[in-house]
């Protein structure tokens, strides 16, 4: 015998109708006869009902959020085996059986005993049994069915990503997309209009609009100006039920920040500026600052300054301070109040980056006039030359005039000047200067070989204001005179072997002279009359060297161990100077290669080598 399912949905329909869900109307009991294979009888009333109302036989519906005091009737289970004599017992198992759903064992009536929430669980899967009350055996095959929780509009839309922050360029065309806001509704999107949303702006008009279906926020005015207002706070609402009366709503805020475009040219707050500059200012000093105003920001407010024309074009230059965007007027040449007391410049400030869309509104630059007044300063004395070269002979007598310096007061007062030599540069007081004329003379004998160049500092002081001083460097070169005779370059330790051949060179001599003649040194070598030695002779090589050679006759230690040879060296100056230098030559016994073995009676070779 088949198990019959009776779905009583009249109470469900009534609740749905009151809730306005637009659910299917069920005013009659739906009956379907099941067969073991899951098929239905062709003449089943349930089949006829399903065709007419598109109803699925194995699915019950129960309205969520029901708040009545009594259990909510869901439906009825009934088997045609049941004759009404109480022998058939109905059993319900599965999700929520006993805890949420109860069944009357005798009648098969199913009730919901608790309030249901579709957003927590949308459907429940249960199994139905019909058993013999006495034997507890199944009188029908067990069947599975679903109780679906029918949605009601009990959840308002929520903006899970809000609040929003968006950016859009100022002056953007109407309809420019700013941001897309998205709201979600936990109600069933497949049933009714509970989750069908409509967007609108509660705050932010007339500057912005929102597309009702997509939530895309767009600009609504063409002249959004960041310099007037740099941000806007919007409130966007999402309402379910397609915005109809009675729908639930939620809202979020959108902070729209207007980003800058270069739509404003720079301008000077004043048409002309005037500054004072001391004539003593150093070159490369910033002497004035001007600033054009640009209400834009960032790169759009970066400025470039340049001097267009004016009589100060070559005397001053202008650059841009990258941090403050000021024009820095810098001194390019030294100033002199007595020569020129004022300068005029015409300065332009322009944007580095220009947006071509706004060029039609006019040039993105401005021009101002800058006047620079030179202030007179009581300046210190100025020398005709900051460095002077002078020459004096080392043979000059004390009081000899070396040269003179000249300084002047550059101011109109033309104060008289007093000269002096800085003591630190003239510690040994070689020179003296006349305080009135600036003439420099020698104060003691000079020696070029001791100091070849004297570096002294001359000080010029204004007599009317001794605090104002100027300085100059004087380099005095001492010229040479022939006052030093030449001499041997080094101390020579010379030896000769006992078995030396005649004409053998035993030593080559060179000389030095502390003087420095203009044509260079030329030395003459000779033996003095007292030094005419029968054992050695001297040969002048004509290249500022001379060679000592052996004469015939040989040498014996036992006869003479040491020979002293007086050598005369003369320079080529007029008059020439000369000196006599004694060369010591020791007689040694040598091996076949000419290497000394012993240079004195009984002296070992090692001592000779160390001494030599």
């Amino acid at each position: 015998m088949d198990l019959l399912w009776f779905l009583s949905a009249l109470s469900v329909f009534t609740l749905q109708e009151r809730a306005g869900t637009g659910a299917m109307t069920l005013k009659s009991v739906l009956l379907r006869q099941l067969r073991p294979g899951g098929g239905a009888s062709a003449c089943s009333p349930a089949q006829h009902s399903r065709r007419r109302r598109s109803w699925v036989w194995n699915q019950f519906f129960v309205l969520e959020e029901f708040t009545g005091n009594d259990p909510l009737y869901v439906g009825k289970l009934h088997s045609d085996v049941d004759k009404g004599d109480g022998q058939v017992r109905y059993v319900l198992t599965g999700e929520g059986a006993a805890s949420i759903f109860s069944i009357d064992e005798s009648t098969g009536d199913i009730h919901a005993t608790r309030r249901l929430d579709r957003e927590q669980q949308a459907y429940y899967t249960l199994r139905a049994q019909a058993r013999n009350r006495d034997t507890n055996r199944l009188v029908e095959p067990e069947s599975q069915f679903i109780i679906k929780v029918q949605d009601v509009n009990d959840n308002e839309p929520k903006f899970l990503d809000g609040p929003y922050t968006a950016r859009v360029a100022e002056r953007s065309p109407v309809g420019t997309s700013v941001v897309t806001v998205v709201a979600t509704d936990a109600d069933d999107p497949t049933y009714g209009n509970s989750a069908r949303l409509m967007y609108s702006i509660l705050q932010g008009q007339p500057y912005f609009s929102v597309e009702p279906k997509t939530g895309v926020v767009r600009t609504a005015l063409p002249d959004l100006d960041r310099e007037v207002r740099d941000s806007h706070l919007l409130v966007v609402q999402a309402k379910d039920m397609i915005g109809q009366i009675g729908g639930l709503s939620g809202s979020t805020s959108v902070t729209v920040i207007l980003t800058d475009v270069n739509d404003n040219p720079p301008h000077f707050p004043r048409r002309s500026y005037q500054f004072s500059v001391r004539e003593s200012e150093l070159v490369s000093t910033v002497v004035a600052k001007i600033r054009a105003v640009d209400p834009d920001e960032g790169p759009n407010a970066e400025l470039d300054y340049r001097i267009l024309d004016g009589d100060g074009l070559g005397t001053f230059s202008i650059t841009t301070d990258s941090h403050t965007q000021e024009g820095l007027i810098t001194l390019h040449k030294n100033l002199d109040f007595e020569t020129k007391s004022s300068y005029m410049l015409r300065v332009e400030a322009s944007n580095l980056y220009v947006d071509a869309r706004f060029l039609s509104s006019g040039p993105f630059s401005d021009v101002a006039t800058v006047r620079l007044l030179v202030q007179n300063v009581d300046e210190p004395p100025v020398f005709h030359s900051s460095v002077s070269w002078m020459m004096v002979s080392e043979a000059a007598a004390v009081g000899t005039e070396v040269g003179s310096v000249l300084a002047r007061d550059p101011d109109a007062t033309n104060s008289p000047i007093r000269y002096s030599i800085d003591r630190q540069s003239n510690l040994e007081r070689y020179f003296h200067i006349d305080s009135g004329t600036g003439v420099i003379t020698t104060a003691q004998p000079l020696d070029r070989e001791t100091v070849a160049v004297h570096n002294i500092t001359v000080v010029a002081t204004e007599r009317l204001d001794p605090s104002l001083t100027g300085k100059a460097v004087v380099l005095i070169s001492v010229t040479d005179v022939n006052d030093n005779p030449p001499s041997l370059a080094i101390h020579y330790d010379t030896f000769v072997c006992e078995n030396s051949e005649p004409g053998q060179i035993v030593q080559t001599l060179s000389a030095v002279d502390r003087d420095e003649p203009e044509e260079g040194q030329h030395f003459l070598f000779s033996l003095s009359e007292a030094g005419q030695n029968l054992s050695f002779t001297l040969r002048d090589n004509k290249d500022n060297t001379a060679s000592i050679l052996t004469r015939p006759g040989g040498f014996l230690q036992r006869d003479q161990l040491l020979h002293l040879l007086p050598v005369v060296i003369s320079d080529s100056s007029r008059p020439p100077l000369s000196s006599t230098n004694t060369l010591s030559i020791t007689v040694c016994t040598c091996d076949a290669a000419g290497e000394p073995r012993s240079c004195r009676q009984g002296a070992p070779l090692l001592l000779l080598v160390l001494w030599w």
Side-chain angles (χ1 to χ4, degrees), residues 336-370:
D336 184 9
F337 172 81
E338 287 72 25
T339 303
K340 188 173 179 62
S341 60
S342 68
Y343 295 87
M344 191 70 72
L345 302 172
R346 201 162 66 93
V347 178
E348 178 189 66
S350 59
N351 279 136
L352 283 176
Y353 310 100
V354 178
D355 194 324
R357 293 177 298 172
F358 305 105
L359 284 176
S360 59
S361 61
F364 273 67
S365 62
D366 197 15
V367 177
T369 301
V370 179

Side-chain angles (χ1 to χ4, degrees), residues 161-178:
D161 296 329
Y164 294 83
T165 298
R167 296 175 180 271
V168 66
E170 63 173 333
R171 308 287 186 185
S172 292
V174 173
T176 299
S177 175
V178 179

Side-chain angles (χ1 to χ4, degrees), residues 209-479:
S209 64
V210 64
E211 292 184 357
K213 294 182 179 181
T214 64
V216 177
V217 177
R218 300 183 182 276
T219 58
L221 290 179
D223 56 351
L224 295 175
D225 191 351
R226 186 199 66 85
E227 287 73 39
V228 175
R229 183 176 177 182
D230 61 0
S231 66
H232 294 260
L233 180 62
L234 283 59
V235 177
V236 179
Q237 181 190 71
K239 191 173 183 180
D240 60 19
M241 299 295 293
I242 324 178
Q244 296 176 4
I245 297 175
L248 303 179
S249 65
S251 62
T252 187
S253 65
V254 180
T255 300
V256 179
I257 300 173
L258 297 182
T259 58
D260 188 59
V261 297
N262 192 11
D263 57 342
N264 293 280
H267 71 279
F268 286 102
R270 296 161 56 185
R271 292 293 90 195
S272 63
Y273 297 85
Q274 181 171 299
F275 301 95
S276 296
V277 185
R278 292 164 57 90
E279 66 172 330
S280 58
E281 292 290 356
L282 300 176
V283 171
S284 299
T285 300
V286 176
V287 297
K289 297 180 181 180
I290 59 174
R291 188 176 188 277
V293 178
D294 190 328
D296 295 318
E297 65 178 5
N300 296 324
E302 292 181 4
L303 302 177
D304 178 51
Y305 295 88
R306 66 189 183 105
I307 298 176
L308 298 178
D309 52 49
D311 57 5
L313 185 58
T315 306
F316 300 91
S317 61
I318 189 167
T319 57
T320 303
D321 187 318
S322 59
H323 297 291
T324 65
Q325 295 303 311
E326 292 177 304
L328 307 180
I329 299 176
T330 304
L331 184 62
H332 192 64
K333 293 181 180 179
N334 288 320
L335 300 176
D336 184 9
F337 172 81
E338 287 72 25
T339 303
K340 188 173 179 62
S341 60
S342 68
Y343 295 87
M344 191 70 72
L345 302 172
R346 201 162 66 93
V347 178
E348 178 189 66
S350 59
N351 279 136
L352 283 176
Y353 310 100
V354 178
D355 194 324
R357 293 177 298 172
F358 305 105
L359 284 176
S360 59
S361 61
F364 273 67
S365 62
D366 197 15
V367 177
T369 301
V370 179
R371 187 183 184 193
L372 298 159
L373 303 178
V374 182
Q375 288 184 327
N376 187 29
V377 176
D378 196 359
E379 300 172 88
V382 177
F383 281 89
H384 178 72
S385 176
S386 60
V387 179
S388 300
W389 282 88
M390 300 179 184
M391 299 180 66
V392 63
S393 172
E394 65 176 327
V398 173
T400 299
E401 181 176 334
V402 180
S404 63
V405 293
L406 178 64
R408 65 178 181 85
D409 179 6
D411 299 313
T413 55
N414 196 20
S415 172
I417 304 299
R418 179 173 59 84
Y419 300 95
S420 62
I421 296 178
D422 182 72
R423 291 183 179 181
Q424 294 298 319
S425 65
N426 192 32
L427 292 175
E428 299 184 12
R429 300 186 179 182
Y430 284 108
F431 302 96
H432 170 75
I433 190 170
D434 186 286
S435 62
T437 63
V439 174
I440 299 173
T441 57
T442 59
Q444 57 176 293
L446 304 176
D447 183 8
R448 189 202 65 83
E449 287 71 40
T450 302
V451 181
V453 178
H454 293 266
N455 184 340
I456 63 174
T457 300
V458 177
V459 181
T461 305
E462 289 190 15
R463 294 183 182 273
L464 300 180
D465 187 357
S467 65
L468 297 176
T469 61
K471 293 183 179 182
V473 174
V474 178
L475 302 175
I476 302 175
S477 179
V478 181
T479 59

